[in-house]
Structure formats: structure tokens, C-alpha cells
Amino acid sequence: MRLLSAIFAVLIVAAPATAQRFPTEGFADLAEELSPAVVNISAAQRIGAEDSGLPDFPEGSPLERFNELFGDAPRIANSLGSGFIIDPEGIVVTNNHVIDEADEVEVTLSDGRTFPADFIGRDPATDLAVLRIQSSEPFPYVEFGNSDNARVGDWVIAIGNPFGLGGSLTAGVISARGREIGGRYDDYIQTDVAINRGNSGGPLFNLDGDVVAVNTAIYSPTGASVGISFSIPSNLARHIVDQLLEYGETRRGWLGVSVQPVTSGMAPALGLTAPRGAIISRVEDGGPAAEAGIETGDLILRFDGREVPDSRSLPRMVAETDVGREVVIALRRRGENMTLRATVERLVEAGAPAAPTRRASPAPQQTSETILGLTLAPLDDASRRRYRVHPDASGVLVTAVDPESDAAGKVRPGDVIEEVAWSPVASITEIRNVVDAASGSGEILLVLNRNGQFVLQSVRP
């Protein structure tokens, strides 16, 4: 099972949308109904002698004969996990880390029958994998539910194979949603269901018997359950599983942008009452976004008819969009609302980010000045070398930041100010004029070039 932070491993949960009461009669009926479709997974990897870690005894040693005995035979490394059948034809869902690098996988049902499994596809980005087992008789199976209906406080149950003990049931409630633990597409459901090593890949059921999540990881300083576990929502899992079944691989959408979050300080300057949306920090040359006319600094508010609540949501929305689909994107650019159309392309691999258009450098100036707590200097060849400024940056250089100013922690020495309040600036004088004109209007937006990356920050005068 995978470990995260202090010891992460298997995980977690989801539930229904309507109000639930404590199940006074327990979970026995659900356990009896659902357990036959939950399976134990044993993955074996053959390890060559050179990878075994066993000693190679020297020639002439009394133990030399053991080299032949131990050295040539491959060893077997086993891992145990859980999974569940979603189709009577024998389609099994589990975690990728359960079967990763395995040479052989066996699936054992609750009635003791064991079947060799074939690999259908895997997706390391979401830690999902699909297997197939075969029999002349249909298999028991369960179905995915709608994880969007799962609410904090809903009852859920996990059935799996903790520590290789076989089918075990634990119960609890959903304790949080939308958790991020380091992955690009993270949107985990958190529960307090007891999940341990070996539960990875197992289902998380609501009280209707629907799979609302796939147990994937736990947070634990001890390696055992401490009541914090994470699982992949069923709506995300179902999308990935469908693609693996159809193509044997995932086919994610690609827009060709990088994004940064909207902070509480930026929101008023962007005309928002609260942080929402995603700010475009980079547009890849030749990508769908560039073709659609999207620019750095644009604030994306809606994508394909859906609200964009934060910067983490937009990459997931794009990735889940069908390749070739034309989408409508609602955005705000320098205070003006507009709508653009883009055709989502297939994500093949992360490409090198496109460089922003380079503006002409200003004539050298000989003075520096402090504005907004920032010590500013002209950007010339000497300062470019000293601060290792990106060759595509143009504007005014920040050489120091007053630790008592609001800019501290937001702006860094070596940053290049390219725009102030959405106005391009090429000199200290231009920055002073824009700041003076904006005084009294609250926080002032700065567009920075930081090592070739677009960064948007808001600073109080």
C-alpha cells in the first residue's frame, strides 16, 4: 500500500445525498449482499538474483555452493490488496500501486475461488488499474454510484483485505471532501473508516450499496489506521475505468495552459467578492488555448458551462473533457468579461511552456526608487546577469523587498514587474504614475516575470 507524508497507504470513502440516520440494525444485510463482489488481489513480481539482495559468496569459500542454490533462482515478491468486480464478465477495479510492476496477479473471491488476472490498463496519475478474470459462469458484481451526492457526515462502509486477513468490513462517515495530497488530479474523499494496509483498491460503499469511492491512501504516523483515509471519488474512477476498458490507456483533454490560484488579497482587485476561478499563468504556443485567444492574466470563471471554483479544479475539468470537444470558456480580462471557444486536444505529454512575447527593453536608467515597499531598478544587461533574469522578461527589476511591507512574501528580489494594474510598464516612472493613479482603490495588481513564469500578486500601498 502506498505511503504519503507521515505514512500513507490505502483509502476511502463516499456516501449518498439524502439525509441518513444511524443504521440501527447494523450493516449485516449490506455485508452479505456486497461481499461476494469484493476480491483479494495477490501480485507477484519475479526478482532476479542480481536484485535479490542475497550475498554472493567468494570462490573457495565453504559457502560457495550456496551461490548456485540461491543465486540463479529468481525470487518472488508478493503484495496484497483489494479490488471489486464491476461487471459479470469479470472486470475488476483496483489501485495501480497494488499491481504495479507485477508479473503475475491472482484474484481471490470471497468463496475461495482463485483466478489468474489479465491486465487491461492502468493509470498511475489517478492510481487506478483494471483487470479481467474469466469463468464460464457470471461473476457477482457491484456498481458505481454518484460520488457528487456524497456529503460530509454520510455513513459509508469499506470492505477489503487488510493485512491479508481476507474480507473485512469497517464503517464510518465521510469527514471531508476535495482533499489534495500531492497529485495533479487529486480530489479525494476523506473518511474516518478504519482503512489499513491491504485495503488499497477496495470499494467504499454508501448505504444504498453503491460504490462511491475507491480506497487509496491513509495518513498515519504509525502505518495503521488513525482515522484519516482518502479515496478516489467514483465519478472520477468511472471515467478513468471506461477509458481503460475502451482504449487500454487514458485519453485526457489538454488546453495548453498553466494556472495559479486567486488569493483573498487578489479577489477585490479582480472584481470578485471572494476568491474563485483560475488565473492563467502561461499559455503554450500553438496549443488550444492560444488558438482560442486566451492570454496570460486571464481569469477563467466558467469552463464548458461549469463554474470553476478554484485553480485546482480547472485541470481536472479539462482532463475529463472528451478530446475534440469544443468548449465555451467564460473569463475576465483586465476587468472586461468575455467568452471564447476552444477545442480540447489530447494530452500526450507535458510540453515546454511557451515564452511570453518580449517587449522592447527600456533605455537604461541610473537611479533606483522604492515603491510599494519594493526597491526598483532599471533592467539592463548587468542586472540581468546578476539576478539571472529570464531572457524573455522586460519591465522593471525588483532588487529588494521591505520585510515590513505588504509585498513581503509575495514579491522577491529578481522578479521583473511587467504590468501594474494591468498597464504595461517599462520604467520606474511609469510604475510610480500608475501607482499614484490607483492610490485609494485598494490593493494593486502586479504582473511579475519570475524565472520565465507569469506570477500575479496583489499588494497594498
Side-chain angles (χ1 to χ4, degrees), residues 20-38:
Q20 294 181 328
R21 295 182 179 181
F22 183 84
T24 56
E25 298 182 359
F27 306 100
D29 290 342
L30 280 174
E32 184 177 353
E33 174 188 353
L34 303 173
S35 293
V38 181

Side-chain angles (χ1 to χ4, degrees), residues 22 37 50 53 56 134 146 150 179 213-214 239 252 259 279 281 344 358 360 375 385 388 427 448:
F22 183 84
E50 66 277 7
D56 186 15
Q134 299 185 45
N146 185 354
R179 291 302 196 204
V214 181
H239 179 75
R252 292 188 170 89
V259 295
I279 298 171
S281 60
V344 175
R358 182 174 178 178
T375 302
R385 289 192 298 270
R388 298 181 180 179
S427 68
L448 310 173

Side-chain angles (χ1 to χ4, degrees), residues 40-47 74-81 94-108 114-119 122 131-133:
N40 298 339
I41 294 179
S42 174
Q45 179 185 8
R46 297 187 179 277
I47 303 175
R75 277 75 179 177
I76 301 295
N78 291 294
S79 67
L80 296 174
T94 186
N95 280 148
N96 178 65
H97 75 263
V98 171
I99 53 88
D100 190 30
E101 298 183 355
D103 297 308
E104 300 173 359
V105 176
E106 287 188 337
V107 172
T108 302
T114 297
F115 300 88
D118 297 322
F119 294 99
R122 63 182 73 187
L131 309 171
R132 175 180 280 117
I133 55 178

Side-chain angles (χ1 to χ4, degrees), residues 297-319:
D298 285 350
L299 172 64
I300 307 298
L301 298 173
R302 293 180 65 86
F303 178 84
D304 197 22
R306 293 179 291 170
E307 295 285 345
V308 178
D310 51 47
S311 60
R312 289 189 303 148
S313 301
L314 184 60
R316 290 197 299 268
M317 291 179 176
V318 175

